[in-house]
Amino acid sequence: MSAEDHIPEAMIFDLDGTLFQTETLLLPAYHRLFKQLRDEGLYDGDTPDTSLILSSLGMLLADIWARVIPNASAQVQERANELLLQYQLDELRQGVGALYPDVKSTLTSLKARGIRLFVASNGLEAYVKNVINAKGLDTLFEGLYSAGEFATKSKVTLVRMLLDEYDIQSAWMVGDRSSDVEAGKENHLNVIGCKYAAFGDESELNGADRIITAFSDLLSLINYEIE
């Protein structure tokens, strides 16, 4: 990578596990949704261990439910989608949910350096937009892309759509999951792996160009060449 690429034209961020501490919002909603499924007679077991859903973050929702409630019907999975979104939005309105340390200040500094900022998430459109708005980040991002809005089957495709629509020639993909690494590499981007979330295993970030252990590390990275 050449010296002029120290400061990319754009940075594309995953949301959950990268900008947002997902578990702070997800887990209260997760327990509520399984109670409601039981109340509606759609589910009769114990609430699945939270490690199942936390280890599935970054996947498309259909793939998440296939791991969490593998024997559930499509009807139950669809109702789980509805309830999870409803309860997460409820919790957001009550101020629940936290960004990782220094996210807003770091994004503000990156934008001040002239870097264009985007989100690319496998989540639902309403979830992604409401988290960004609720946490006061909406004015920092030029575009918010979600699998829910664009009906994409992989983050590779989602990121390609973003790059094409905004005519971006140089970008870094910043995320905490293997889907982020894949999306970056398949689109010929440099990948910054975020290794500070409380979930995910060691292999998730294999292939990333750089690993950061705090979000603010991005500010020092733009001053050094990624080889």
Side-chain angles (χ1 to χ4, degrees), residues 109-144:
S109 296
L110 292 172
K111 186 169 184 176
R113 295 288 297 268
I115 298 172
R116 303 167 70 187
L117 306 179
F118 299 87
V119 167
S121 168
N122 276 335
L124 295 173
E125 177 184 4
Y127 169 78
V128 171
K129 291 181 176 178
N130 275 274
V131 168
I132 294 298
N133 290 337
K135 299 308 170 186
L137 304 180
D138 49 305
T139 59
L140 296 172
F141 287 103
E142 193 170 337
L144 305 176

Side-chain angles (χ1 to χ4, degrees), residues 39-50:
D39 289 348
E40 294 178 7
L42 295 174
Y43 185 82
D44 60 5
D46 294 332
T47 299
D49 194 283
T50 56

